[in-house]
Amino acid sequence: MAGSDYFYHPLENIEDIDIFYDAVERSHLTKALSAERPYTYWTIELYDKRNGIRGGGGLGVLAADTRRIADKMQVPFVLITPFYPSETHQVLKNGTIEDIHENVDYHKYGFSFVDNIFIRCCSTLCKLDVIEKRFGSSRIVAITEPNFGELYSGLSSSDHRLYQEVALGFGGYSALKLLGLKPAIMQLNEVATFFGALARLDELTSNGMDFYEAVVYTRKHTLYTNHTLVQAAEAEFTYEQFERFVFPNLRSAAVQKWLSDKFEHGRIKLSSATIEIAELKSGVSKLHARVANYHDVSGNKVKFKAITNGIDLDTWVSPSLMEFYHDYAILDDINLPTKNYLQKLSALSADSIRQYKAIGRGILNDVLKNRPDQNGDILQFTNDDFIFDFKRRFVDYKRPELPFRDAERLRSILEPRGAHYILAGRLHTGDMSMSVKLKQILDIISSDDYLKNHVHYLADYDENLAFGLSCGSNVAINVPIVGLEACGTSWMKDVANLNLLISTHDGGVADARMSDYFNVNGPDEDSELDMLYQQMQDTIAVWENDFDLEFMVRRQLGAFLPIISGARMMNDYLDYLFPK
Ligand SMILES: *Cc1c(COP(=O)(O)O)cnc(C)c1O
């Protein structure tokens, strides 16, 4: 097999591109998007275990939800992502998290093999499998090979990460052509997907389009969605790494020159090139879009359009509660809040809230059947039990340890009600400081004879646990350091499932007002902690009082349902991409 013949599948030619360009410029959605010209969504992480792909956190959950929502709204949509042949699970052993690796076979998840494509890495040709799975109006196109490795394995500036990103970008672009698909729009879910847009720029240029025209064309059809607040924190690759992994895949000398200019002192941040290749740029909440601190090569601050994340309510809300939302015309058939959803929310009485919680508790108990806590106990809760939960990735800025700073006070809040506190969170492999923090929390818990049996740590946090806890808890705690959460989506699952939300005013929560939920704020961490404890006390009281419970649950839903609705998010994206 001669490499270069298989290297690019030359399906697009310049005349096609012109016709295509016209259609999109007409800004008419029905003409711009079709099965052959889909909305394409590029992501290095997808969290969609039902389809065989396990992610790491919110970025992947968002990608999976976005595809499901597009499908419901019948938007022609193709999600391009790696299929990782191995995934990590975590177990707790003697107070320390250990990683366990499991192989995953795509055949078992309904993917079919399409063909092989090739990319060049380190002077050799790498053979990649293109696989796909089709749904209604959407499909997942995945790139894989037996040694592709795991999601986020190794350092973010390592050769292997760069290989994965290049394989997704160049491989994914070839895969689309193999399938006869022309991206009407390329949404880049974070900069790890930059190489998809680069492959397009390179193809246009090497097919004879003037370089500047090709840049304009690529820019007009590329949306870069940023989830990271600080550009400085982004990983860098070296020129030498690009010589081995990236440049060999480029056919246009002009594109290589353009890319080379983005290096500073021999290093590149992918965001600096992504910003230039994408005219459309979005942040994932109002606050995030405002505070994300990015600059282009000329030093100008980058403006991000705020499109707050939403969730696929059918995935995350207990089915009986979804039935209620539909029966009472609170949500329409694509799960958008109806015009008068606010009035309709008055159908939600304290009795019905307790009833749906009881159903949700059954769902939680089901999930917990094979998830022992740190003592090895299998937890099963009654409808009368009271549950606080903190469930999110175990990273510093989310402050999982905050409620444990004053163990006596925590106990004094929980004990009179016999309340439980469930802590679930995935530790990033190799994060030693968080590993130490977890051990400290577990020590605090085990040295108190009440907390020992009422605070539960559940390892290997995943979608099932997220769903079970959202359905079955009473109160969710979300206390990121203000300014550091881009959006967050776990709290959305909680609000939609009628839990009371205790939160700092950060991420997507700050799209609403502080009075719409149980807000935590203060000039310093001590005052925040004091307020957190007060709010925990208050939420226990609210669950005891029918009037207060109705009032607060309706208030939360009233404020947040339009924000939470994934259909709202998709409409916002479509309006931004195809202005009327
Ligand atoms: C919803 C969800 C997330 C998102 O968490 P945030 O901290 O709110 O961003 C992460 N992981 C899993 C498994 C989830 O279900």
Side-chain angles (χ1 to χ4, degrees):
M1 245 185 258
S4 51
D5 292 339
Y6 284 83
F7 194 47
Y8 275 111
H9 298 263
L11 298 178
E12 271 187 39
N13 58 45
I14 290 296
E15 292 85 77
D16 274 358
I17 290 163
D18 285 343
I19 294 162
F20 171 42
Y21 192 64
D22 273 1
V24 177
E25 281 302 278
R26 244 179 270 133
S27 314
H28 197 283
L29 180 60
T30 49
K31 289 219 176 75
L33 288 178
S34 67
E36 296 76 37
R37 287 177 186 154
Y39 186 137
T40 67
Y41 187 96
W42 300 68
T43 186
I44 199 82
E45 177 186 339
L46 175 65
Y47 209 139
D48 188 359
K49 194 56 211 175
R50 261 171 281 180
N51 292 310
I53 304 181
R54 183 181 183 158
L59 189 81
V61 169
L62 175 72
D65 276 7
T66 305
R67 186 198 59 74
R68 295 183 195 115
I69 294 155
D71 212 86
K72 212 152 295 160
M73 295 172 70
Q74 300 180 354
V75 176
F77 188 93
V78 178
L79 184 143
I80 302 108
T81 198
F83 191 102
Y84 298 94
S86 172
E87 66 183 30
T88 336
H89 291 263
Q90 300 190 323
V91 286
L92 187 66
K93 271 199 187 144
N94 308 320
T96 315
I97 290 291
E98 284 179 20
D99 283 355
I100 295 172
H101 306 276
E102 271 178 27
N103 294 333
V104 199
D105 177 1
Y106 67 74
H107 295 99
K108 288 196 186 138
Y109 292 93
F111 278 90
S112 53
F113 175 77
V114 178
D115 206 346
N116 288 122
I117 46 133
F118 295 82
I119 60 164
R120 290 176 205 271
C121 292
C122 308
S123 339
T124 56
L125 277 182
C126 300
K127 183 166 127 181
L128 302 168
D129 291 358
V130 175
I131 60 174
E132 72 160 338
K133 184 165 177 180
R134 295 190 189 195
F135 306 84
S137 70
S138 75
R139 49 177 138 177
I140 301 175
V141 172
I143 301 300
T144 192
E145 49 96 357
N147 297 313
F148 203 82
E150 293 190 347
L151 172 67
Y152 303 146
S153 61
L155 292 177
S156 49
S157 55
S158 66
D159 281 1
H160 192 71
R161 288 279 191 97
L162 183 57
Y163 161 70
Q164 289 180 332
E165 294 172 14
V166 166
L168 175 65
F170 287 95
Y173 196 71
S174 293
L176 291 183
K177 289 196 289 172
L178 193 64
L179 292 160
L181 301 171
K182 299 176 184 184
I185 204 79
M186 297 176 80
Q187 179 169 4
L188 308 180
N189 193 30
E190 264 306 340
V191 295
T193 61
F194 158 73
F195 298 104
L198 182 69
R200 173 170 249 191
L201 176 66
D202 184 56
E203 169 169 73
L204 296 176
T205 312
S206 56
N207 274 358
M209 198 186 259
D210 170 76
F211 174 72
Y212 292 100
E213 267 179 48
V215 170
V216 169
Y217 180 86
T218 307
R219 275 176 62 82
K220 277 217 180 301
H221 297 85
T222 304
L223 163 62
Y224 157 39
T225 300
N226 170 282
H227 300 255
T228 321
L229 288 136
V230 200
Q231 199 168 15
E234 189 185 314
E236 294 178 323
F237 295 109
T238 65
Y239 194 83
E240 183 272 330
Q241 284 178 302
F242 265 50
E243 284 181 317
R244 283 182 291 136
F245 291 95
V246 182
F247 297 150
N249 292 295
L250 294 174
R251 289 187 299 174
S252 158
V255 172
Q256 181 167 335
K257 166 80 172 61
W258 172 82
L259 193 53
S260 301
D261 287 346
K262 303 294 166 291
F263 282 79
E264 271 182 80
H265 311 295
R267 290 170 181 278
I268 190 171
K269 284 192 200 302
L270 294 183
S271 62
S272 56
T274 311
I275 285 163
E276 288 205 20
I277 217 172
E279 187 175 289
L280 306 162
K281 303 171 190 76
S282 63
V284 289
S285 70
K286 286 181 177 160
L287 180 64
H288 167 63
R290 213 164 53 232
V291 302
N293 193 14
Y294 279 66
H295 293 86
D296 65 18
V297 276
S298 330
N300 300 315
K301 190 144 194 262
V302 175
K303 284 205 180 101
F304 292 100
K305 163 95 179 160
I307 298 181
T308 304
N309 291 340
I311 57 172
D312 178 38
L313 290 154
D314 287 323
T315 299
W316 296 109
V317 177
S318 93
S320 47
L321 184 54
M322 281 311 282
E323 216 168 283
F324 169 82
Y325 286 144
H326 287 136
D327 287 352
Y328 284 84
I330 292 164
L331 295 175
D332 70 10
D333 54 350
I334 57 167
N335 296 334
L336 210 55
T338 55
K339 239 190 227 137
N340 36 14
Y341 80 98
L342 273 178
Q343 289 106 289
K344 307 272 183 191
L345 279 174
S346 59
L348 203 55
S349 64
D351 274 352
S352 54
I353 294 170
R354 293 182 203 285
Q355 210 178 312
Y356 289 117
K357 243 332 103 178
I359 298 171
R361 190 135 300 176
I363 295 174
L364 173 61
N365 282 337
D366 254 7
V367 172
L368 292 177
K369 273 184 191 143
N370 48 7
R371 315 286 300 234
D373 73 358
Q374 77 277 12
N375 303 319
D377 294 332
I378 294 292
L379 310 167
Q380 292 288 296
F381 294 101
T382 68
N383 292 340
D384 186 48
D385 283 327
F386 195 96
I387 305 174
F388 289 97
D389 77 40
F390 181 103
K391 52 174 179 336
R392 44 197 28 85
R393 277 182 307 121
F394 231 74
V395 289
D396 206 40
Y397 80 86
K398 292 182 189 263
R399 298 190 288 189
E401 82 293 354
L402 194 61
F404 300 95
R405 296 264 175 93
D406 186 344
E408 267 173 52
R409 180 135 181 223
L410 179 62
R411 175 178 178 159
S412 76
I413 295 165
L414 299 179
E415 196 172 13
R417 177 62 179 83
H420 295 261
Y421 187 103
I422 299 182
L423 191 60
R426 228 178 121 75
L427 208 71
H428 196 286
T429 304
D431 187 342
M432 288 321 289
S433 86
M434 286 314 283
S435 173
V436 169
K437 264 192 188 158
L438 176 59
K439 213 166 166 38
Q440 286 166 346
I441 294 172
L442 293 172
D443 285 345
I444 292 169
I445 298 168
S446 66
S447 51
D448 181 293
D449 63 356
Y450 181 84
L451 298 182
K452 164 160 95 183
N453 298 309
H454 291 82
V455 180
H456 316 278
Y457 176 75
L458 302 173
D460 207 29
Y461 177 53
D462 64 1
E463 291 165 296
N464 294 335
L465 210 43
F467 177 62
L469 287 167
S470 305
C471 293
S473 300
N474 298 91
V475 178
I477 296 177
N478 175 55
V479 283
I481 296 173
V482 171
L484 296 187
E485 186 70 83
C487 180
T489 51
S490 340
W491 63 269
M492 297 183 179
K493 304 165 192 170
D494 296 308
V495 169
N497 280 297
L498 316 180
N499 296 339
L500 299 179
L501 173 67
I502 298 179
S503 180
T504 46
H505 205 56
D506 198 22
V509 175
D511 271 27
R513 294 165 307 181
M514 286 187 181
S515 54
D516 291 324
Y517 61 95
F518 294 84
N519 171 254
V520 168
N521 74 80
D524 52 44
E525 212 162 54
D526 283 346
S527 4
E528 282 181 295
L529 179 57
D530 186 53
M531 196 156 173
L532 168 60
Y533 287 138
Q534 280 178 37
Q535 296 290 39
M536 288 177 75
Q537 195 93 59
D538 281 359
T539 51
I540 290 177
V542 165
W543 270 98
E544 304 291 320
N545 179 308
D546 283 359
F547 179 84
D548 291 350
L549 182 62
E550 271 171 29
F551 179 82
M552 272 319 291
V553 169
R554 287 181 199 162
R555 180 164 198 161
Q556 286 188 170
L557 284 172
F560 285 117
L561 261 190
I563 299 167
I564 291 171
S565 164
R568 186 276 313 152
M569 169 182 70
M570 180 54 75
N571 280 337
D572 285 353
Y573 276 122
L574 294 174
D575 286 347
Y576 183 44
L577 296 170
F578 307 102
K580 298 258 152 57

